[in-house]
Amino acid sequence: MSASFLHRVCDEAHDRVAADAAREPLDELIARAREVPPPPGFATGLAAPGVQLICEVKRASPSRGHMAEIPDPARLASAYAAGGAAAISVLTEPVHVEGSLDDLRAVTATVALPVLRKDFTVDPYQVWQARAAGAAAVLLIVAALDDDALVELMGVAAEADLDCLVEAHTADEVARAATAHDRAETGRRLVLGVNARDLTTLTVDRAHVARVRAAVDLPDGALLVAESGVAGPADVGEYAAVGADAVLVGEHVATAADPEAAVRALTGH
């Protein structure tokens, strides 16, 4: 996911927001979202003892293209839950990862676990869409947002009763995430993701998470989520050894012949 690709998908996200807002203005969306029951706590679910798993409903990725046929995302999410996942991540970007808000709504209507809307979040409208669809959290990618936008979106998420998974790739981005969290003053826990996938080359190096973790002091109470590169229990253990509270796993479980068993093997349940 090069910088140019990230810029392009963020522009596309702005276009999607404009189209959606033309159909349903923000004030109407907020009113509808406020009628949805509060979601379970995303940060709370990841704070349980041991390393927790966030398992993804993921058909495709920018680096791999199409990976999995998922005709019933709710059934897949239910298998993850039965295997011991602590949370579900649902990709909703339609072009590059083949996701949709319909997938998100189907999953939140079926599983009791907290659900992350994983998308290129660039506008408050998307936060309220997530809330209306029953999500418990939204993804904020530090590389895609300036500092003021990070603060604004964290504040909107808190107003919508959502947590944020704030994804960083470098020690500098971790520092930016922490500063934005302090500025936002939401009173919510910082959930910080460190991605092992290089944005430019798209290669995965699990040791990158350890290097970033060693270079920064996480704020008190922050939760660390290691992202990418999980293909078996040993990889989860490697992330646990460097202090990860949770691990985000996508392709390995989304493409498994038996996703419940795949998750169970990773959790040790």
Side-chain angles (χ1 to χ4, degrees):
M1 187 162 56
S2 66
S4 60
F5 175 78
L6 187 60
H7 180 78
R8 176 158 58 92
V9 294
C10 288
D11 283 347
E12 292 169 356
H14 281 294
D15 290 343
R16 281 189 283 134
V17 167
D20 290 343
R23 290 187 290 270
E24 181 178 32
L26 178 60
D27 58 347
E28 295 179 12
L29 172 62
I30 291 174
R32 182 165 62 85
R34 292 194 185 282
E35 296 178 355
V36 177
F42 181 73
T44 302
L46 302 187
V51 179
Q52 305 303 313
L53 283 193
I54 308 168
C55 296
E56 291 198 324
V57 175
K58 180 177 186 177
R59 295 186 178 88
S61 76
S63 59
R64 292 290 303 277
H66 182 79
M67 296 183 303
E69 297 293 334
I70 304 177
D72 189 344
R75 182 178 180 182
L76 179 60
S78 296
Y80 292 161
I88 309 296
S89 168
V90 179
L91 283 72
T92 61
E93 195 280 332
V95 176
H96 305 283
V97 299
E98 303 175 18
S100 71
L101 283 167
D102 285 341
D103 289 348
L104 180 61
R105 285 186 282 264
V107 170
T108 60
T110 303
V111 301
L113 297 177
V115 180
L116 166 73
R117 180 190 184 181
K118 192 174 184 186
D119 207 318
F120 298 93
T121 308
V122 295
D123 191 280
Y125 193 94
Q126 294 165 290
V127 177
W128 286 107
Q129 278 184 320
R131 180 68 174 82
V138 292
L139 176 70
L140 303 181
I141 301 174
V142 176
L145 300 163
D146 64 29
D147 294 341
D148 288 342
L150 276 170
V151 173
E152 178 190 22
L153 290 168
M154 288 177 181
V156 173
E159 183 184 354
D161 201 20
L162 301 183
D163 288 316
C164 300
L165 173 59
V166 188
E167 179 179 299
H169 296 82
T170 66
D172 286 345
E173 289 183 0
V174 171
R176 285 185 55 210
T179 298
H181 182 259
D182 287 343
R183 285 179 55 197
E185 296 183 328
T186 63
R188 303 182 81 88
R189 202 163 186 173
L190 174 60
V191 184
L192 182 70
V194 176
N195 200 326
R197 187 181 300 278
D198 186 281
L199 275 176
T200 303
T201 66
L202 301 180
T203 58
V204 173
D205 176 10
R206 284 189 301 277
H208 179 70
V209 175
R211 289 192 294 270
V212 172
R213 177 65 186 89
V216 298
D217 292 322
L218 296 182
D220 289 344
L223 296 169
L224 177 63
V225 179
E227 303 179 32
S228 301
V230 172
D235 302 329
V236 175
E238 183 177 331
Y239 283 143
V242 299
D245 298 287
V247 173
L248 179 71
V249 55
E251 179 179 354
H252 177 70
V253 291
T255 61
D258 185 341
E260 178 181 342
V263 174
R264 197 176 299 280
L266 294 178
T267 61
H269 291 173

